[in-house]
C-alpha cells in the first residue's frame, strides 16, 4: 500500500503544494459566481452547509434516475414483462460505458475547486472551457460508437434472446441522448465547484416532468412501446443538457464561457485526467463487474432479469444519498485544501461519512419494509416479484456499507489523490466480484448466493480504503505544513 501511495506523491504535490496551495496572495479575493458563491465552502459551520449542498444533489439524482425508472414502470405496466426486461437489463451496461467519462467530471470539480480556493481566475476560466469541450467531444464520440455496437454489447452480457431485439432498439435510442447527458453532468460539475447545486436540480425537475409526460404519451396514446420510452428519455436529456450549458454561458467571468471561443487547454486537461481518469476507470471496472453479475442473473431467466432490474432501481435511488455526500466531500475538500485549511478538510470527512451512512441506511430500511408496494409499482408477476424481494433483502438492506469506501475515496480525490482509492476499489470490489461469479455462482443455481457478493465486497473494500485514507491524509497535510 505504501508503494502505491508513494507513486502519487509527485502528481499530488503539483496539485497541492504548487500553484494551488502556495499562491496565498490571491486568497483574500476569491472569485465568485454571479457576485457570490452559492455556498461558501471556506468559512462557517460545515453541517448545515453540507446538508444544503447535498439535498439538491440527492433530489437531482432521484430525478435523473427517474428518467430510467419511469421507462421501466411504464413498459412494465403497459407493455409486459418482455419489454420490462428489455429496458431494465440495459442499466448496468449503460453505466459501464458512461462511468469512464463521468469520472473525468470529478477531476474537473477538483481542479476548479482548487483554483477557487487559491483565487486563480485564469485557471478557473481555462478549466471551465476545457470541461465543457471534453463533454461535447466525448459525448458525440460515445453516441456514434454506441449506436453501432449496441447488439454486440447486449449479446456479450447474455441478454435473453426473447428480449434482445427490443433491448437493442432501446439502447440505440438511449445512445442518441448521450451528448446531452454528458453536457448536463459535466456542466453540473462546474456549477458544484462554485457551491451551486440548486440550479442543476431545477433543470432536472423540469426535464423530469417532460420525461414523464412524453413516456405516457408515446406508450399509451401512440403505442410506441420500448421506442417511445427511449425517445422520451432523449428529449428530456436534450432539454437538461442545453439548459445547463446556457446557464454557464451566462455566468460572469471567470466562470462564464463564449461558445465560439471555447478550447481545450492542455495543462488543465492533463490535471483533470490525472484525477478524473482513475475515478472513471474505477467506475467503469465497477460497472463491468456488475455487468458480469447481470450476465449471471440473466441465466436464471427473464423473470430474474425483470425482478432484479426492478429492485436495482431502488438501489440507484438509495445510492444517490451516498453520491450526494461523495460530491460534497470532493467539492468541500478540494476548496479547503486549495486554501490550506486542514482543519476543515478533516471535518468535511467526518460530516460526509456520518450523513452518508445514516441517510442511506434509513432509506434502505424504509424500502425493504415496504417492499411489496415498491416492487408492485413495476410488476404484478409473482415470479418476478420473488426475485426482486431476494435482491432487496440481500443487497439493498446493507447498501449503506458502501459509504465506507465511497466517502473515503472522495475526500482523497479532493486532496488530489485519485489512484489509491481507484486501485483498492478495483481489487476489493471489482476483482472479487468477477471471481465470485465465475467460481462460487458459476452454475447459476442459487440466486441468494449470487446476491451475497455485494455485502462481502463492501466490507473488504471499505476496510482497505479507510486505512488508505488515514495514510494519505497524513502525507497530504504534511505537504501543506511544509509549504506554509
Amino acid at each position: 500500500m505504501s508503494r502505491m501511495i508513494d507513486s502519487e506523491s509527485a502528481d499530488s504535490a503539483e496539485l497541492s503544494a504548487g500553484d494551488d496551495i502556495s499562491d496565498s496572495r490571491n486568497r483574500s479575493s476569491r472569485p465568485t459566481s454571479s457576485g457570490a458563491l452559492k455556498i461558501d465552502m471556506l468559512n462557517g459551520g460545515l453541517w448545515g452547509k453540507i446538508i444544503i449542498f447535498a439535498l439538491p444533489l440527492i433530489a437531482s439524482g432521484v430525478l435523473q434516475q427517474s428518467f430510467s425508472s419511469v421507462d421501466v414502470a411504464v413498459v412494465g405496466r403497459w407493455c409486459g414483462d418482455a419489454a420490462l426486461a428489455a429496458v431494465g437489463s440495459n442499466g448496468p451496461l449503460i453505466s459501464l460505458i458512461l462511468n469512464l467519462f463521468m469520472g473525468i467530471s470529478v477531476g474537473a470539480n477538483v481542479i476548479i475547486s482548487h483554483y477557487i480556493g487559491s483565487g486563480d481566475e485564469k485557471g478557473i476560466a481555462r478549466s471551465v472551457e476545457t470541461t465543457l469541450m471534453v463533454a461535447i467531444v466525448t459525448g458525440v464520440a460515445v453516441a456514434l460508437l454506441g449506436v453501432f455496437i449496441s447488439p454486440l454489447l447486449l449479446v456479450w452480457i447474455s441478454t435473453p434472446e426473447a428480449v434482445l431485439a427490443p433491448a437493442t432498439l432501446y439502447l440505440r435510442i438511449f445512445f442518441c441522448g448521450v451528448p446531452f447527458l454528458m453536457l448536463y453532468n459535466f456542466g453540473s460539475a462546474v456549477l458544484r465547484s462554485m457551491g451551486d447545486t440548486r440550479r442543476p436540480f431545477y433543470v432536472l425537475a423540469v426535464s423530469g416532468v417532460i420525461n414523464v409526460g412524453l413516456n405516457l404519451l408515446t406508450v399509451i396514446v401512440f403505442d410506441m412501446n420500448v421506442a417511445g420510452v427511449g425517445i422520451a428519455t432523449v428529449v428530456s436529456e436534450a432539454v437538461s443538457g442545453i439548459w445547463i450549458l446556457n446557464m454557464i454561458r451566462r455566468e460572469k467571468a471567470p466562470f462564464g464561457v463564449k461558445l465560439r471561443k471555447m478550447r481545450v487547454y492542455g495543462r488543465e486537461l492533463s490535471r483533470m485526467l490525472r484525477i478524473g481518469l482513475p475515478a472513471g476507470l474505477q467506475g467503469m471496472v465497477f460497472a463491468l463487474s456488475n455487468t458480469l453479475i447481470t450476465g449471471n442473473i440473466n441465466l436464471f431467466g427473464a423473470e430474474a432479469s425483470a425482478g432484479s432490474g426492478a429492485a436495482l432501481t431502488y438501489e440507484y435511488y438509495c445510492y444517490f444519498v451516498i453520491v450526494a455526500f461523495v460530491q460534497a466531500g470532493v467539492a468541500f475538500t478540494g476548496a479547503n485544501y486549495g486554501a490550506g485549511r486542514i482543519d476543515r478538510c478533516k471535518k468535511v470527512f467526518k460530516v460526509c461519512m456520518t450523513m452518508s451512512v445514516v441517510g442511506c441506511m434509513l432509506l434502505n430500511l424504509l424500502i425493504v419494509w415496504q417492499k411489496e408496494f415498491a416492487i408492485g409499482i413495476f410488476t404484478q408477476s409473482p415470479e418476478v416479484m420473488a426475485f426482486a424481494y431476494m435482491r432487496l433483502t440481500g443487497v439493498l438492506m446493507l447498501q449503506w456499507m458502501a459509504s465506507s469506501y465511497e466517502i473515503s475515496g472522495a475526500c482523497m480525490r479532493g486532496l488530489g489523490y485519485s489512484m489509491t482509492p481507484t486501485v483498492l476499489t478495483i481489487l476489493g470490489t471489482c476483482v472479487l466480484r468477477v471471481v465470485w461469479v465465475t467460481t462460487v455462482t458459476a452454475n447459476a443455481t442459487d440466486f441468494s448466493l449470487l446476491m451475497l457478493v455485494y455485502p462481502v465486497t463492501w466490507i473488504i473494500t471499505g476496510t482497505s480504503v479507510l486505512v488508505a485514507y488515514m495514510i494519505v491524509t497524513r502525507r497530504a497535510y504534511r505537504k501543506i505544513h511544509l509549504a506554509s
Side-chain angles (χ1 to χ4, degrees):
M1 183 180 297
S2 296
R3 288 195 299 271
M4 179 165 45
I5 294 171
D6 284 339
S7 69
E8 292 190 282
S9 60
D11 288 347
S12 181
E14 180 185 349
L15 290 170
S16 57
D19 46 37
D20 283 336
I21 298 296
S22 61
D23 187 10
S24 60
R25 294 170 298 177
N26 294 323
R27 288 181 188 166
S28 61
S29 57
R30 295 184 180 91
T32 59
S33 168
S34 299
L37 278 171
K38 299 300 181 290
I39 296 177
D40 183 358
M41 294 181 281
L42 302 172
N43 302 285
L46 286 170
W47 287 90
K49 290 179 182 292
I50 289 177
I51 290 176
I52 293 172
F53 185 96
L55 285 178
L57 290 175
I58 296 172
S60 296
V62 169
L63 283 173
Q64 194 165 19
Q65 179 58 35
S66 294
F67 292 168
S68 297
S69 299
V70 170
D71 293 349
V72 173
V74 169
V75 297
R77 282 286 189 174
W78 283 280
C79 303
D81 289 344
L84 175 62
V87 174
S89 63
N90 272 299
L93 187 56
I94 291 170
S95 296
L96 171 65
I97 297 165
L98 295 183
N99 273 346
L100 173 63
F101 302 99
M102 296 304 100
I104 298 174
S105 72
V106 173
N109 196 336
V110 173
I111 296 302
I112 297 172
S113 295
H114 281 187
Y115 280 136
I116 291 173
S118 62
D120 187 345
E121 294 196 6
K122 291 184 179 179
I124 293 172
R126 292 193 300 265
S127 298
V128 172
E129 289 187 27
T130 300
T131 299
L132 295 178
M133 284 298 296
V134 168
I136 294 170
V137 173
T138 57
V140 172
V142 171
L144 292 175
L145 180 63
V147 168
F148 286 105
I149 67 172
S150 290
L152 297 177
L153 293 173
L154 289 166
V155 170
W156 175 57
I157 63 169
S158 304
T159 301
E161 184 67 29
V163 301
L164 183 58
T168 300
L169 176 61
Y170 178 81
L171 187 58
R172 279 177 163 162
I173 295 173
F174 179 87
F175 271 117
C176 293
V178 165
F180 304 109
L181 182 62
M182 301 281 259
L183 196 55
Y184 172 81
N185 281 284
F186 276 67
S188 295
V190 172
L191 295 178
R192 285 196 305 272
S193 67
M194 308 175 193
D196 182 358
T197 58
R198 289 177 296 177
R199 286 188 294 172
F201 166 69
Y202 300 151
V203 170
L204 275 182
V206 174
S207 57
V209 172
I210 293 173
N211 184 61
V212 172
L214 288 178
N215 266 309
L216 298 174
L217 180 66
T218 55
V219 172
I220 299 176
V221 178
F222 295 108
D223 196 24
M224 296 179 67
N225 205 293
V226 169
V229 294
I231 291 171
T233 299
V234 171
V235 172
S236 61
E237 287 171 347
V239 170
S240 62
I242 294 172
W243 195 352
I244 212 81
L245 176 62
N246 191 54
M247 281 184 177
I248 297 174
R249 184 181 66 83
R250 293 175 178 273
E251 281 288 326
K252 295 179 180 178
F255 300 102
V257 296
K258 296 181 180 180
L259 300 182
R260 294 181 180 179
K261 295 184 178 180
M262 282 200 313
R263 52 168 291 193
V264 174
Y265 292 87
R267 183 168 180 267
E268 276 62 40
L269 177 62
S270 175
R271 300 175 72 183
M272 190 184 304
L273 293 177
R274 194 153 57 240
I275 296 174
L277 193 56
L281 289 173
Q282 172 186 314
M284 190 175 183
V285 175
F286 195 89
L288 173 61
S289 67
N290 288 338
T291 301
L292 294 176
I293 294 175
T294 299
N296 269 38
I297 291 172
N298 290 337
L299 296 177
F300 286 87
E303 291 81 6
S305 179
S308 179
L312 184 61
T313 297
Y314 292 103
E315 291 176 34
Y316 289 145
Y317 280 125
C318 293
Y319 214 74
F320 286 126
V321 175
I322 299 177
V323 169
F325 293 109
V326 163
Q327 293 172 347
V330 170
F332 277 76
T333 301
N336 284 283
Y337 191 57
R341 300 289 302 276
I342 296 176
D343 57 330
R344 290 179 68 81
C345 290
K346 293 178 180 179
K347 291 179 182 178
V348 167
F349 171 77
K350 294 177 182 178
V351 173
C352 289
M353 182 65 77
T354 301
M355 290 184 174
S356 178
V357 169
V358 173
C360 186
M361 181 188 296
L362 291 176
L363 193 54
N364 292 159
L365 295 176
L366 174 63
I367 293 172
V368 173
W369 176 44
Q370 295 293 326
K371 62 181 183 292
E372 291 85 1
F373 171 77
I375 300 303
I377 294 174
F378 298 102
T379 180
Q380 295 299 314
S381 167
E383 293 80 10
V384 173
M385 296 179 81
F387 281 105
Y389 293 163
M390 281 189 280
R391 177 150 192 157
L392 286 181
T393 55
V395 180
L396 183 72
M397 192 161 60
L398 299 174
Q399 190 184 33
W400 55 269
M401 291 180 176
S403 301
S404 57
Y405 64 86
E406 290 285 12
I407 301 299
S408 303
C411 291
M412 278 191 274
R413 291 191 172 95
L415 298 173
Y417 290 80
S418 189
M419 187 59 71
T420 295
T422 294
V423 172
L424 291 176
T425 301
I426 289 175
L427 292 176
T429 299
C430 307
V431 173
L432 182 55
R433 287 181 184 179
V434 172
V435 173
W436 190 283
V437 299
T438 55
T439 56
V440 178
T441 60
N443 296 325
T445 57
D446 190 336
F447 190 80
S448 296
L449 185 61
L450 176 59
M451 295 296 100
L452 186 61
V453 68
Y454 290 102
V456 168
T457 53
W458 287 336
I459 293 171
I460 294 173
T461 307
T463 301
S464 62
V465 178
L466 280 169
V467 171
Y469 170 80
M470 291 186 286
I471 297 173
V472 164
T473 50
R474 283 200 298 267
R475 298 188 177 192
Y477 299 154
R478 190 181 306 127
K479 290 184 177 72
I480 291 185
H481 287 306
L482 294 174
S484 60

